[in-house]
Amino acid sequence: MTRAIIQPRRSDNAEQPPRKGRLIITIDGPAGAGKSTVARLLASSLGYLYLDTGALYRAVAWKIQASGVDPADEKGIAATLRCTRVRTEQHADRMHVYVDAQDLTDEIRRPEISRIASMVSALPSVRDWLLPVQRQAGSGGGVVAEGRDVGTRVFPSADVKFFLEADMEVRAARRHRELTAAGYAVPVDQTLQDLRDRDTQDRTREVAPLLPAPDAERIDTSALTVAQVIDRMMAVISSRL
Ligand code: DC
């Protein structure tokens, strides 16, 4: 399935109503709570698009770093984004991210890009720039969107909202396993510290802080297997289909 996302057009800035029977499902929560794994599996079993909004923030972070712009320089970032194109494509159950013409799907997972993404995601101009990109991808429904504010800001009228959480140590261990599997040798202490810093940054920023939507189903995944999390989510989704 391919659904290309082309860059901000003002007319895409409004949340679109989903097509009947093709739900908009949102999954928010901190890093390492298990969002990506379950979002990908849910999207695949429902035949829906998987929208990883964190990857879009990472794509912006990559562009800022590649352009040599200071991640704290909001004006410089806004100017850079004016001539930037971010596009995604779904290949099997994986979302590929392109910045301008380059496929950066793996590159944006670098730990230093995580840190820059956390910084730039606190900037209102970056969040505003990415809003229509995300909404355009979800327009028409049939999407599982994961991020930090997809249920609160991007798709406030989503059909089903989840908020996944887990203990900090469990999240750090998961993130460390992911990084190791991807070939990044980061000490576990460093992973824990990075997570703490990003959590503080994501939860305390003024714009769109990481918060559960009031109507979100909250699931603590610390002691659950992936299959158990999916079962709980499917029970909720089935009741809304
Ligand atoms: O989920 P992730 O680690 O790939 O996200 C990268 C960064 O982007 C993370 O610091 C939080 C931020 N983000 C956000 O602010 N809002 C979203 N909807 C998704 C991610």
Side-chain angles (χ1 to χ4, degrees), residues 21 23-25 42 45-46 48 159-162 217 229-241:
L23 306 182
I24 293 183
I25 300 169
L42 277 181
S45 63
L46 293 165
Y48 281 13
D159 303 282
V160 191
K161 299 180 185 179
F162 295 102
E217 301 281 336
V229 179
I230 295 278
D231 281 352
R232 288 197 189 185
M233 295 172 107
M234 278 310 263
V236 179
I237 294 166
S238 305
S239 70
R240 317 256 172 106
L241 270 171

Side-chain angles (χ1 to χ4, degrees), residues 133-192:
V133 182
Q134 298 168 81
R135 285 189 175 157
Q136 191 185 338
S139 67
V143 63
V144 179
E146 64 136 309
R148 304 295 190 286
D149 64 342
V150 283
T152 48
R153 183 165 189 238
V154 182
F155 300 113
S157 341
D159 303 282
V160 191
K161 299 180 185 179
F162 295 102
F163 191 87
L164 301 191
E165 325 173 72
D167 298 340
M168 174 62 83
E169 282 68 24
V170 173
R171 296 198 282 121
R174 287 176 184 161
R175 185 41 63 111
H176 188 254
R177 269 200 303 277
E178 270 169 31
L179 288 170
T180 308
Y184 297 110
V186 184
V188 75
D189 291 358
Q190 175 71 50
T191 310
L192 186 62

Side-chain angles (χ1 to χ4, degrees), residues 53-54 57-58 109 117-118 121 127 147-149 198 202 205:
T53 62
Y57 286 91
R58 288 169 178 274
R109 298 290 149 197
S118 186
S121 66
R127 303 203 74 84
R148 304 295 190 286
D149 64 342
R198 287 176 56 200
D202 295 344
R205 67 182 174 219

Side-chain angles (χ1 to χ4, degrees), residues 27-32 35-36 52-58 108-109 113-122 127 130 134 146-151 154 175 195 198-199 201-202 205 207-210:
I27 308 178
D28 287 306
K35 301 186 300 291
S36 306
D52 171 6
T53 62
L56 300 173
Y57 286 91
R58 288 169 178 274
I108 56 170
R109 298 290 149 197
I113 297 294
S114 304
R115 282 191 284 278
I116 301 172
S118 186
M119 289 174 77
V120 299
S121 66
R127 303 203 74 84
L130 281 176
Q134 298 168 81
E146 64 136 309
R148 304 295 190 286
D149 64 342
V150 283
V154 182
R175 185 41 63 111
L195 262 191
R198 287 176 56 200
D199 264 18
Q201 175 100 268
D202 295 344
R205 67 182 174 219
V207 258
L210 171 63

